[in-house]
Amino acid sequence: MSVGPHDLVIRGGTVVTAADRFTADIGVTGGVITALAADLPKGAEEIDAGGLMVLPGGIDAHVHLDQPTSDGTKMADDFESGTRSAVAGGNTTVLPFVMQEKGSSLRACVEEYHRKAEGKCYTDVSFHMVVSDPSPQVLGQELPALVRDGYTSFKVFMTYDDLVLNDAELLAVFDVARREKALVMVHAEGNDAIKYMTTRLEQEGKTAPYFHAEAHAQIAEREATHRAISHAQLTDVPVVIVHVSGRDPMEQIQWARKRGMKVFAETCPQYITLTKEDLKGLNMDFEGAKYVCSPPPRDTDSQAAIWEGLRDGTFDIFASDHCPFFFDAPAETGKNNARARTSFKWVPNGIPGVETRLSILFSEGVSQGRISAERFVALTASNPARLYGLYPKKGTIAIGSDADFTLWDADRKVTISQSLLHHGADYTPYEGLQVTGWPVRTILRGQTVMQEGEISCRKPGGAYLKRGVSGMAYP
Ligand code: URP
Ligand code: ZN
Ligand code: ZN
């Protein structure tokens, strides 16, 4: 049989987009989708997707890789291990953060981060920035120039002493975002409230990891979410509230939306699978540190609220907030360090999750009948692409889009275990969780990069993606 015009034909799968599902063959030429039809002629390479879903490659819009930390703790993933873990989990694009260290030029930090990523990425990547030092030079020159160069989103923190911006600084940064049509991502937890709670708990001798969840109270997240929304309303700028953990902050977002404000929202796997009880470990021991992240997981009422928000459109995106630290090994470099054992406040905040994000949402959402497969695609690929200026090159299956796919076995039952995963961390907070639905093949611009858990490309082939203005925030 003669070979047709396509480099690759993916045959007979159920194609699922955010809007539709249908059976079709997909033709790929030069890394781009060039045909969607029944009975395409034979391709140079053929993949039989019969019995599988063909989804747009996952886009994880919130990951932390090889990021400098204030106390020098090393992250468990660099670009190589983090993106390897990402493709194993069915992702083809990730968006990590350039951390501006106080006193540093933002541009210099961006360039340094490119050096760290160069030649090491199995997925395509694009960078958000973190603005921690909004000096006149940064606000007046560097930030506008970087936005125009395609770094069209940046995060600000309302907590952590080394990152927190005060209200005047938040307003000034939001104002730059409005002028430049950039998208501000907000870590909404009130710093003073957390510090007050931390001091009180420590005075009462409550220093185990569990008390991180009490110090980072939902009240502090609710208050900061409302404050961020108010600043956004005053400055007339769209914002994204990231890693929303529970009912109270979610209601603030709904309050703003009802008033017509452009407030977008992200939630994460830890808020539908974990609760603060997990931070108790085994009888309040240090195992609880494995679940320390900010905001912390809440309770079953908040889990139910998050599901309502995932269903009704309150949440636009579902990201991992992959922020991996070692637990035990190498010794004294991660969560289980000597200082952390004296108080929860020294436990590095963050948990790994880039590899398990898709299977957790699919299993708990689609397999359990809470959301449709189309909504799953919207939350994990299409909306992240639209929100962060990558659509329609990324995030959908359409003629002209990049040929990024996850071949998905909706019936595969897997028990999540550290031994299956490809990240650099020495544990997973989801150990033992049973999921139904698993990525069996990941294809990046027409090249298979993962098959049945094995990385199948010889060297990392990910590219850096320059982004446009957010199609959702500034249509
Ligand atoms: O605990 C977390 N989430 N650490 C990651 C940094 C952040 O705030 O996103
Ligand atoms: Zn954050
Ligand atoms: Zn994060």
Side-chain angles (χ1 to χ4, degrees), residues 222-243:
R222 183 198 69 201
E223 176 278 321
T225 302
H226 191 86
R227 188 153 40 98
I229 286 168
S230 302
H231 292 349
Q233 189 173 20
L234 206 61
T235 50
D236 190 23
V237 72
V239 288
V240 188
I241 308 295
V242 294
H243 45 51

Side-chain angles (χ1 to χ4, degrees), residues 134-384:
S135 63
Q137 163 75 11
V138 167
L139 293 188
Q141 288 158 43
E142 289 201 326
L143 196 49
L146 284 160
V147 173
R148 287 173 211 161
D149 285 350
Y151 303 92
T152 52
S153 51
F154 49 84
K155 184 175 175 189
V156 291
F157 284 79
M158 297 174 77
T159 189
Y160 298 126
D161 282 348
D162 52 331
L163 296 173
V164 62
L165 303 191
N166 64 32
D167 288 329
E169 290 170 327
L170 288 170
L171 287 160
V173 170
F174 283 18
D175 199 58
V176 174
R178 177 180 50 80
R179 286 203 304 270
E180 299 298 331
K181 289 190 162 48
L183 196 50
V184 192
M185 309 161 75
V186 185
H187 181 127
E189 289 188 289
N191 201 38
D192 288 338
I194 291 169
K195 283 170 75 170
Y196 161 77
M197 285 300 294
T198 300
T199 304
R200 202 170 94 181
L201 288 160
E202 285 181 338
Q203 280 167 354
E204 292 167 5
K206 295 175 174 168
T207 56
Y210 169 73
F211 295 105
H212 169 85
E214 293 205 352
H216 287 246
Q218 196 169 175
I219 297 168
E221 186 182 351
R222 183 198 69 201
E223 176 278 321
T225 302
H226 191 86
R227 188 153 40 98
I229 286 168
S230 302
H231 292 349
Q233 189 173 20
L234 206 61
T235 50
D236 190 23
V237 72
V239 288
V240 188
I241 308 295
V242 294
H243 45 51
V244 176
S245 73
R247 186 179 293 283
D248 297 356
M250 193 183 91
E251 283 175 356
Q252 303 306 307
I253 292 158
Q254 291 168 331
W255 178 92
R257 291 260 185 92
K258 277 196 205 112
R259 284 158 181 77
M261 290 178 61
K262 279 192 193 158
V263 176
F264 301 97
E266 170 202 275
T267 192
C268 313
Q270 49 271 37
Y271 307 123
I272 54 171
T273 49
L274 305 176
T275 67
K276 66 179 178 186
E277 296 300 303
D278 289 297
L279 277 79
K280 288 185 175 164
L282 303 167
N283 202 17
M284 294 296 252
D285 67 1
F286 208 75
E287 279 292 294
K290 290 182 175 173
Y291 308 92
V292 167
C293 58
S294 292
R298 304 292 183 192
D299 53 19
T300 51
D301 173 63
S302 273
Q303 288 186 343
I306 298 287
W307 278 115
E308 284 163 31
L310 285 165
R311 263 197 305 272
D312 71 13
T314 302
F315 291 108
D316 301 285
I317 69 171
F318 188 82
S320 68
D321 193 7
H322 177 79
C323 187
F325 292 101
F326 298 106
F327 183 68
D328 263 333
E332 293 295 323
T333 61
K335 287 178 175 270
N336 193 7
N337 69 66
R339 193 162 66 148
R341 287 193 295 271
T342 68
S343 169
F344 60 84
K345 79 175 176 211
W346 303 118
V347 177
N349 285 199
I351 58 178
V354 71
E355 194 166 342
T356 43
R357 171 186 76 120
L358 292 174
S359 56
I360 287 175
L361 185 65
F362 191 93
S363 183
E364 298 289 319
V366 183
S367 304
Q368 305 255 353
R370 291 179 168 120
I371 57 171
S372 66
E374 289 85 344
R375 180 87 186 119
F376 170 81
V377 169
L379 286 160
T380 57
S382 309
N383 286 353

Side-chain angles (χ1 to χ4, degrees), residues 152 383-391 466-472:
T152 52
N383 286 353
R386 291 168 64 222
L387 190 62
Y388 293 117
L390 289 169
Y391 196 83
K466 189 170 166 169
R467 286 180 291 124
V469 164
S470 167
M472 281 167 91

Side-chain angles (χ1 to χ4, degrees), residues 2-66:
S2 68
V3 173
H6 304 297
D7 302 335
L8 168 67
V9 172
I10 302 171
R11 203 170 287 285
T14 302
V15 176
V16 185
T17 68
D20 210 355
R21 90 173 69 181
F22 50 90
T23 302
D25 300 341
I26 303 173
V28 174
T29 315
V32 169
I33 300 170
T34 47
L36 271 170
D39 299 324
L40 286 177
K42 187 171 160 49
E45 182 187 354
E46 288 266 323
I47 294 174
D48 177 7
L52 298 174
M53 286 180 171
V54 184
L55 312 176
I59 300 179
D60 196 336
H62 186 155
V63 302
H64 303 270
L65 304 175
D66 209 351

